[in-house]
Amino acid sequence: MFSNSLIFAEVAPSFWDNVWSIVLPVLCSLICIVVVMTFAGLSVVAERKISSYIQGRWGPNRTAIPYIEVIPFVGNFLKKNGLMQLAADGLKFLLKEDPLPKHVNKFWYMIAPVMSLAPVLIAASVIPFGIYWLDGKSNAIAVANLDVSLLFALAIGSLGVLGGIMAGWSSNSKLPYIGGMRAAAQVISYELAMGLSVLPVILMVASKGVQSPMSLFEISNAQSNSLWFCISQPLSALIFIVALFAETNRLPFDMAESETDIVSGYHTEYGSFKFGLFFVGEYGHIVVGSSIFIALFLGGWNPLPCESWPQSWGIWASILSVITFLVKIAMMIFFFIWIRWTLPRFRNDQVMNLGWKCLLPLALANFVGYLIYTSIR
């Protein structure tokens, strides 16, 4: 009996360690999906409310859910601020009739919305939403802390355009096809500038002796007690944010779904739940793209330039780091919405000229200039 208890005492710790090593990634994955989908859903409400304030309108303030609207104070608050609109839109997408046109390529037509949303959730798995310390070593609060998480996020995130391309092609219709081709051309044009804009940041992190300069966690950690890279690399930050607007098909770069000339672009033939997936995928791209920008240029989870949450605060520092990161995501979403309802839409030729003739040479000159600066200092 005594020997059996000793064996159990030796086996139990390793058993629970193995269980925890399986449960923790699954738990982080679920939390990551919840965070991205929640922000994507709330972004729809925020878009309608902020745009209404900018245009001098009320926005959604009448949608109500039975039994909830009668709750004192809470029901009226949710109704007046349009927060019940999210549930109404979700139910509309789920319950609305979902016809399948006869002229489409059925397989690719049905899988295209999934191809638009899936890369968002995969790319979100490497985003470091915060930091925690274990045995004096800092670790990322992320599903997967890869050494090349920046490269992984950019590569997987760019695959979202395949959903638009396949939607336009499989629709067998002229205007959706034009929208899909515009989406492809736009991504190719601005991916080059985006990739070049992050190279000075990688070199700056590597110059600090970091072993994995292409890790989003290490890049954020390198800004813990120093200036954020948006201050030390302002041109890189500007190029990246402009390219990010183009990558996410947001105004003034929404050529792939321009209502003024191609109806609704690549998802013209879609409705109901399939259109909802495209809709959520667009806002999901904004959330993930904003997260990458925050990790690269806005200090990640650090509250202020040259300031970081003290390690001595333990679990509270970790909680505050996650809250800080989420607040920055909300601020970035507001910035995206603000720009959309402020600037007019560009023409398609203007978008291409800006990408190839302005942004790409500027990104290349910025990278070469930083190389010259580091070699002579």
Side-chain angles (χ1 to χ4, degrees):
M1 184 71 178
F2 182 72
S3 61
N4 290 338
S5 63
L6 286 178
I7 293 174
F8 179 77
E10 293 177 356
V11 172
S14 60
F15 171 76
W16 290 113
D17 288 344
N18 292 332
V19 171
W20 183 245
S21 65
I22 296 173
V23 171
L24 185 60
V26 174
L27 184 62
C28 289
S29 300
L30 293 176
I31 294 174
C32 181
I33 293 173
V34 169
V35 169
V36 174
M37 297 301 287
T38 301
F39 268 102
L42 292 177
S43 297
V44 179
V45 179
E47 178 99 50
R48 299 181 69 168
K49 295 299 288 186
I50 294 172
S51 65
S52 65
Y53 290 141
I54 292 175
Q55 297 176 349
R57 299 182 290 107
W58 285 107
N61 64 347
R62 298 178 183 177
T63 304
I65 300 176
Y67 304 111
I68 295 181
E69 65 171 327
V70 297
I71 300 176
F73 179 74
V74 175
N76 188 56
F77 175 82
L78 295 176
K79 179 179 178 180
K80 291 297 183 182
N81 289 280
L83 296 177
M84 296 189 192
Q85 190 67 41
L86 178 60
D89 290 339
L91 288 173
K92 179 186 70 175
F93 287 138
L94 286 172
L95 302 177
K96 193 175 181 181
E97 183 183 1
D98 190 10
L100 183 64
K102 293 182 179 180
H103 61 273
V104 301
N105 187 312
K106 292 181 174 55
F107 176 78
W108 293 110
Y109 175 85
M110 297 181 67
I111 205 173
V114 180
M115 294 172 65
S116 180
L117 179 59
V120 175
L121 302 179
I122 297 173
S125 63
V126 298
I127 302 297
F129 291 98
I131 186 173
Y132 72 95
W133 294 270
L134 186 63
D135 298 330
K137 182 181 179 182
S138 59
N139 299 276
I141 300 177
V143 177
N145 183 23
L146 304 180
D147 291 339
V148 289
S149 56
L150 172 59
L151 181 62
F152 179 87
L154 293 179
I156 296 298
S158 64
L159 294 178
V161 71
L162 293 178
I165 295 173
M166 295 313 304
W169 174 80
S170 64
S171 294
N172 285 329
S173 182
K174 179 172 64 176
L175 297 180
Y177 183 77
I178 293 174
M181 292 301 99
R182 284 186 179 184
Q186 192 164 293
V187 166
I188 294 172
S189 302
Y190 287 86
E191 277 283 344
L192 297 172
M194 178 180 283
L196 287 172
S197 68
V198 302
L199 291 180
V201 174
I202 295 173
L203 293 177
M204 182 174 288
V205 174
S207 66
K208 297 183 178 182
V210 176
Q211 295 295 326
S212 304
M214 295 188 67
S215 168
L216 288 172
F217 172 71
E218 296 295 347
I219 293 173
S220 298
N221 209 23
Q223 303 173 73
S224 295
N225 295 300
S226 62
L227 290 175
W228 293 350
F229 291 145
C230 65
I231 300 175
S232 56
Q233 292 284 347
L235 189 54
S236 292
L238 177 63
I239 295 171
F240 190 94
I241 193 65
V242 173
L244 185 59
F245 270 89
E247 290 280 314
T248 53
N249 286 325
R250 294 287 295 181
L251 270 165
F253 296 96
D254 65 335
M255 290 297 100
E257 47 191 87
S258 175
E259 296 92 347
T260 55
D261 51 352
I262 54 174
V263 187
S264 189
Y266 57 86
H267 52 66
T268 299
E269 299 285 346
Y270 285 85
S272 187
F273 186 69
K274 298 185 188 70
F275 174 77
L277 289 180
F278 280 118
F279 206 56
V280 175
E282 178 181 332
Y283 285 97
H285 274 287
I286 296 174
V287 175
V288 173
S290 299
S291 301
I292 297 173
F293 182 79
I294 290 167
L296 284 173
F297 298 103
L298 295 183
W301 53 82
N302 299 295
L304 294 170
C306 302
E307 296 290 339
S308 61
W309 296 113
Q311 181 179 347
S312 59
W313 290 10
I315 186 65
W316 292 108
S318 300
I319 295 173
L320 288 172
S321 69
V322 174
I323 293 175
T324 302
F325 200 96
L326 296 181
V327 169
K328 289 182 180 180
I329 292 178
M331 294 172 64
M332 285 294 299
I333 292 173
F334 171 79
F335 178 71
F336 270 86
I337 297 172
W338 182 24
I339 292 298
R340 173 180 179 177
W341 296 99
T342 302
L343 298 180
R345 177 185 287 119
F346 296 155
R347 294 198 314 267
N348 190 50
D349 61 315
Q350 292 174 330
V351 171
M352 292 296 103
N353 287 335
L354 179 63
W356 289 106
K357 296 182 180 180
C358 297
L359 215 61
L360 182 59
L362 193 62
L364 187 59
N366 178 53
F367 175 55
V368 173
Y370 181 75
L371 288 178
I372 295 174
Y373 168 74
T374 54
S375 63
I376 63 176
R377 69 173 180 175

